[in-house]
Structure formats: C-alpha cells, structure tokens
C-alpha cells in the first residue's frame, strides 16, 4: 500500500515535518510514500492520524538542512528528505554529508535555496504607493524556488514600521499593521520594463487593495467564507505627523551661535568666521552657512566644514560619523579609505552615490596629533548634539524616505538612542525627525577587523544597503 501525503502550500515545513514524524514512527519505508499528491497506478491511502510506537532520533543538523531544502522547487525534495530521515534513523551511513550522494544532492539544494533567498533580499525593489494612513510599498519578484515565505522574515524585521506587499507568481506576502500573511500569487503585470513609477504604483495599488485582488484566483484558492478575514485598512497614527513641528522648532534655533555647554571658540576663529545673519532657507544656503559654524570647538583644529553631497532630492540619505583626515583636506565626505570601501559596498548593493545624499553626523574632523599623523577621535556626545542642528537642517531639506546610520555616533545623532549598536544593526528605528532610520555598521569598523570578521561585517553592511536600496529605490 502506498501512502499519499497532501501538504499545504503555506506552512509547508511544519506540515512536512509532522507528516514525516508520523510516517517514521510507523516505520513506513520511503518507497511506500507518495509525497507528490498525485497517484496513478497504485492504490493509495493517507498516512495514519496518530504517531506510531517507534521514536526516531532526529539530529538538529537534519532539521536545519530540511528547513532549507523544503523551499526548493524540485518536487522530489520531499521524498529525498524522507529518505535521508529514514537512513539516519536506520543508521545507514551519513546522508547529511557531502561525501554521500544523497547528502550532496540535499546540500546543493539547500545552497541553491540560500542563494535564492539572498537574491530576493538584495533585488526586491519596493515602490511607494499612494499613502493611506501608513506608508505603503509594493514589489514584484520572481524567485527561482518557493522562497518568498522563508525570505519574508527579513523584510518584516527591516520594514516593520510600514505596510508592504511582495507579489510573486506563486505567493503574495502581505505585511499590514504589523501582521504578515500570505495569499495566492498574482500574474506579472504587463508593463514595459522601463515602466514609470506611476504605472507601477497604479498596478500595485490594485493588487494591494484587498477589495481588488484577482477574484477568480482568490475563489480558486480560498473559500469565500475566509474573505472577511482579509486585512482592512486600519487607521494607524501617522509616524511623520510630528515632522513639520519638529522642523519648525529646529528653525527657531540660531545657526552660528554656540549652544550652551559648548567650549569657547577662540577669538581668532570667531573673527574669521562671522555669524550668518539669516537662517538658511535652502540646502545650498545651509551648506554655505555650515562653513562658518562655530557651535563647538571642533572648527578650530579642522581644516574645513565637510558638508554633505549628492542628490538634493535623494530618497536615501547615508550618514557617517565625521570626516576623516582625507575628507578634512578635500572638503568632501567619504573620500578616504572608509569611503572607498563604502563606495564599493554601495556599488554591490546597486546604489549610485550620485543618487543619494551622503553626509556625516558631525561636520568637522576631530583628531589628536601624533607625529606627522592626525589620529581620528570619536566625537563626544556634546559635539554630536551641537552638530545635530546641521543634520536636522539637512534632513529637513532633503526629506529622504530612509536614512541609513553608519555606526554608533550617527545612530545616536539620528535617533537620540545611545544603546550599543550590535543588537540594533539591521533594524529600522524611528529617527528624531520622525522618519525611518536603518542602523548598520560603519565601514571603518570593517577596516579595523581581521579578515574573517571583516568579511562577515561587510556582508552584513552590504545586505543592509541592499535593503535600503529596495526600500528607497532611486527611481
Ligand atoms: N568616516 C565617516 O564617518 N565619514 C567620512 O566622511 C569619512 C570617514
């Protein structure tokens, strides 16, 4: 008798696991199970409902491998995994090892799934939809395997503050008001490759709106009684509602006047740098005014103010700590060793430096002289707070959709949170300006590490930048 197993499309891993657990507990041999849910020549029966007497030992390494292989698109994967489980239970060789033909095949499948998930994280390109109560984004993606379900956790973690959908041919992941759900896939829109933002937005607005999803496909996949459970638009407090008020408060503070607590600036510097008469009313004017800043004493030893650069209408703003030796001399951000590394990683992530706004939390180089060298020193809290005035001014003119904070100083400047970086890395926090801030490593942290650790940090930085690019694509 062949046993037939019917598995759901969603929650596949858990379903396969419990079916396999029952099958092995009854010692049902691999050749007696049809995992494909199509049965022709042989009589077929479902698996027993209850577990049998045999208790199999399942090593965690098998579960890890199975948790990955299960998303492979090859139909035979379910049977192959059960064969491996069967052999582990019977102690027939090591079906997890690369030296075993079955192990090699499963490991290759897991690798291919891993690559597919990685590609999804790097290449999903969100487009913003017309706003309702929360910011909404949508993307179309065609994974090679069934990886949207396992791959979605990454987007939940990063884009927790907004609503989004990722539509694919087999499945649609929908994240609304903090809840992730999966729905039938959709048809690739018949739009030209270079379709404008507006066209895509119209398409997505249609598939995003539960009232307008493809009804025939839905009926086929889901009985009508479940329709009422589809997410509805909820009124969520607008995370940006306070932004205007904040900018107004910021404008109320004067530009060139040292803030309380700032160390005195020497008369030499004060005479050379007159306080600008008016508050800057454009990004350009702000940059010019910043050249004369003396809100703290860092201006004294530094060569010049290093203002941000890039596209004034950028959707993505990248914020470092402070200029380094090279930046101080050239008057441009990220042109030294950390900058070169950053530009490389940005290019891997598909980010064009001309399409973003690149700047620093602190606009003057802080250093201590050592012989002929000037050694970088971290800015202290007060220096960061003084310079935040400029950062906020930059933010108010650029109005980016997403800000990336490189390292602890930038994270503190942007969010006011000085907590350690490691647990925050890769997460999106709400900035003091009211918008989302993605926290990630500073490129110079990578330069300070030995090769293994450096590779890991670099991969993480690249992943964060790729998700930043997908969150706020240039077009
Ligand atoms: N490090 C930064 O944080 N910013 C720069 O501009 C250069 C190095």
């Amino acid at each position: 008798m062949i046993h037939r197993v019917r598995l759901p499309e969603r929650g596949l891993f858990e379903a396969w696991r419990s079916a396999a657990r029952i099958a092995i507990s009854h010692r049902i041999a691999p050749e007696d199970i049809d995992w494909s849910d199509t049965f022709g020549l042989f009589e077929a029966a479902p698996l027993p409902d209850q577990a049998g007497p045999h208790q199999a030992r399942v090593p965690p390494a098998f579960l890890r491998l199975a948790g990955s292989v299960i998303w492979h698109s090859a139909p035979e994967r379910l049977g192959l995994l059960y064969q491996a489980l069967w052999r582990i239970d019977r102690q027939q060789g090591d079906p997890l090892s690369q030296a075993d033909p079955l192990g090699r095949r499963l490991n290759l499948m897991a690798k291919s799934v891993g690559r597919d998930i990685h590609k999804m994280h790097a290449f999903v390109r969100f487009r913003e939809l017309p706003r309702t109560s929360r910011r909404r984004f949508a993307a179309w993606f065609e994974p090679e395997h069934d990886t949207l379900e396992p791959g979605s956790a990454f987007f939940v973690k990063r884009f927790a503050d907004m609503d989004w959908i990722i539509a694919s041919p087999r499945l649609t992941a929908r994240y609304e008001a903090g809840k992730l759900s999966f729905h039938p896939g959709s048809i690739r829109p018949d739009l030209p490759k270079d379709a404008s933002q507006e066209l895509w937005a119209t398409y997505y607005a249609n598939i995003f709106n539960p009232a307008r999803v493809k009804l025939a496909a839905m009926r086929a996949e889901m009985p009508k009684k479940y329709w009422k459970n589809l997410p509805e638009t909820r009124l969520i407090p607008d995370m940006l509602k306070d932004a205007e008020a904040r900018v107004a408060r910021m404008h109320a503070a004067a530009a060139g006047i040292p803030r309380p607590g700032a160390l005195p600036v020497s008369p030499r510097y004060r005479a050379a740098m007159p306080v600008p008469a008016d508050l800057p009313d454009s990004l350009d004017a702000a940059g010019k005014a910043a050249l004369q800043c003396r809100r703290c004493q860092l201006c004294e030893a530094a060569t010049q103010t290093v203002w941000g650069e890039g596209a004034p209408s950028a959707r993505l703003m990248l914020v470092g700590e402070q200029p380094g030796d090279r930046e101080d001399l050239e008057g441009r951000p990220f042109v030294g060793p950390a900058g070169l590394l950053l530009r490389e990683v940005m290019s891997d992530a598909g980010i064009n430096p001309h399409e973003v706004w690149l700047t620093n939390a602190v606009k003057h180089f802080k250093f201590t002289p050592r012989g002929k060298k000037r050694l970088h020193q971290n800015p202290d809290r007060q220096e960061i707070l003084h310079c935040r005035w400029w950062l906020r001014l930059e933010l108010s003119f650029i109005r980016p959709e997403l800000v990336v904070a490189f390292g602890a100083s930038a994270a503190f400047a942007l969010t006011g949170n000085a907590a350690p970086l490691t647990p925050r890395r890769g997460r999106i926090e709400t900035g003091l300006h009211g918008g989302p801030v993605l926290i990630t490593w500073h490129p110079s942290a990578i330069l300070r590490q030995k090769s293994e650790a450096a590779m890991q940090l670099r991969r993480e930085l690249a992943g964060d930048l790729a998700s930043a690019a997908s969150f706020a694509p240039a077009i």
Side-chain angles (χ1 to χ4, degrees):
M1 168 81 71
I2 302 286
H3 294 276
R4 167 173 49 91
V5 184
R6 170 170 289 184
L7 296 174
E9 246 187 89
R10 261 88 80 196
L12 180 65
F13 183 54
E14 282 68 32
W16 180 86
R17 212 174 141 179
S18 62
R21 195 181 288 132
I22 287 189
I24 201 102
S25 71
H26 287 278
R27 292 189 187 271
I28 300 173
E31 57 275 19
D32 292 335
I33 304 181
D34 178 359
W35 294 95
S36 67
D37 193 27
T38 52
F39 50 102
L41 295 177
F42 304 104
E43 202 185 332
L47 285 177
D49 288 340
Q50 304 290 328
H54 175 62
Q55 280 217 329
R57 266 191 339 101
V58 184
F62 172 74
L63 287 179
R64 273 198 301 279
L65 186 70
S68 183
V69 170
I70 201 88
W71 307 112
H72 199 281
S73 55
E76 66 272 21
R77 72 204 183 283
L78 305 173
L80 292 176
L81 283 172
Y82 189 69
Q83 272 180 37
L85 181 62
W86 177 262
R87 283 183 45 199
I88 291 169
D89 189 44
R90 302 245 142 178
Q91 301 185 347
Q92 295 171 349
D94 179 5
L96 301 185
S97 119
Q98 299 276 3
D100 184 288
L102 176 57
R104 194 159 51 249
R105 194 158 165 203
L106 290 173
N107 278 292
L108 279 176
M109 283 177 149
K111 211 165 174 184
S112 176
V113 165
R115 263 201 312 269
D116 202 38
I117 293 179
H118 181 74
K119 266 197 250 159
M120 181 193 313
H121 294 166
F123 298 129
V124 159
R125 290 286 179 265
F126 283 107
R127 294 171 196 248
E128 185 152 15
L129 302 184
R131 252 184 108 126
T132 51
S133 53
R134 304 202 335 155
R135 294 181 72 189
R136 304 185 311 158
F137 294 83
W140 170 262
F141 193 68
E142 292 178 52
E144 186 184 337
H145 302 296
D146 298 336
T147 42
L148 186 54
E149 191 175 333
S152 291
F154 169 91
F155 297 103
V156 168
K157 199 171 129 210
R158 278 171 168 69
F159 306 140
D161 276 1
M162 53 227 51
D163 293 344
W164 48 261
I165 61 165
I166 303 172
S168 82
R170 284 174 58 89
L171 198 64
T172 297
R174 184 191 297 265
Y175 186 75
E176 277 182 307
K179 279 214 181 73
L180 178 66
S181 56
F182 293 97
H183 303 268
S186 85
I187 302 161
R188 186 182 164 78
D190 191 16
L191 296 179
K193 266 213 173 88
D194 55 353
S196 70
Q197 174 81 10
E198 282 70 26
L199 267 180
W200 277 99
T202 309
Y203 165 70
Y204 284 130
N206 276 290
I207 60 167
F208 198 98
N209 182 346
R212 295 198 222 148
V213 286
K214 307 221 163 358
L215 294 188
M218 255 182 59
R219 275 196 199 99
E221 291 272 344
M222 197 190 295
K224 204 168 176 180
K225 64 180 176 175
Y226 295 122
W227 289 17
K228 66 177 184 320
N229 294 330
L230 285 173
E232 291 147 21
T233 314
R234 294 172 181 83
L235 283 174
I236 308 279
D238 182 344
M239 71 180 184
L240 288 178
K241 73 179 184 305
D242 197 31
E244 292 300 328
R246 286 206 176 112
V247 171
R249 281 201 294 278
M250 191 183 77
H251 273 273
I257 301 166
R259 301 244 315 218
L263 291 178
V265 173
S266 72
R268 170 187 69 81
Y269 200 89
R270 205 176 296 157
M273 292 290 187
V275 177
D278 297 317
L279 283 177
D281 58 2
S282 68
L283 183 63
D284 218 29
K288 287 202 177 92
L291 298 179
Q292 305 179 352
C293 177
R294 51 185 213 233
R295 293 174 75 81
C296 74
Q297 78 290 357
L298 289 186
C299 57
E300 299 231 20
T303 309
Q304 56 189 313
T305 303
V306 179
W307 187 244
E309 69 174 29
S313 57
R315 299 170 72 178
L316 189 58
M317 177 159 156
L318 309 178
V319 183
E321 181 191 68
Q322 61 165 348
D325 182 76
R326 183 113 221 133
E327 289 80 12
D328 172 76
L329 297 173
E330 288 196 25
R332 292 182 54 212
F334 286 106
V335 288
L340 292 185
L341 174 63
L342 174 64
R343 283 161 201 271
E344 248 177 63
V345 182
M346 280 168 69
S347 149
D348 292 349
I351 298 177
N352 179 342
H354 301 297
E355 288 171 347
V356 298
W357 187 257
L358 202 50
T359 192
N360 283 300
V362 170
K363 313 291 187 213
H364 281 113
F365 179 34
K366 181 176 180 184
F367 62 91
T368 175
R370 179 81 50 83
K372 285 189 181 162
K373 287 207 168 132
R374 304 189 295 171
L375 298 186
H376 162 275
Q377 280 195 306
N378 292 326
D380 64 29
R381 217 174 241 248
Q382 282 308 313
E383 287 152 355
I384 293 174
L385 291 178
H386 292 320
C387 221
R388 186 147 83 192
W389 196 91
W390 293 110
L391 187 60
R392 286 184 166 201
L393 199 57
E394 257 174 319
L395 276 162
S396 73
F397 290 121
I398 306 278
R399 294 178 159 271
E401 281 170 24
L402 177 69
V403 184
V404 176
F406 295 124
S409 298
F412 171 61
L414 286 157
T415 65
N417 180 357
L421 203 71
T422 305
R424 300 164 68 193
R425 201 284 308 162
R427 295 185 175 275
I428 290 194
E429 298 181 8
T430 300
L432 293 164
H433 64 295
V437 177
L438 172 63
I439 314 285
T440 190
W441 304 125
H442 193 288
S444 41
I446 301 176
L447 295 177
R448 284 196 296 270
Q449 293 290 339
K450 296 241 163 35
S451 55
E452 263 303 277
M455 290 300 289
Q456 176 63 16
L457 294 194
R458 188 189 162 127
R459 269 194 298 275
E460 289 171 349
L461 176 63
D464 291 341
L465 286 181
S467 40
S470 60
F471 183 97
I475 46 159

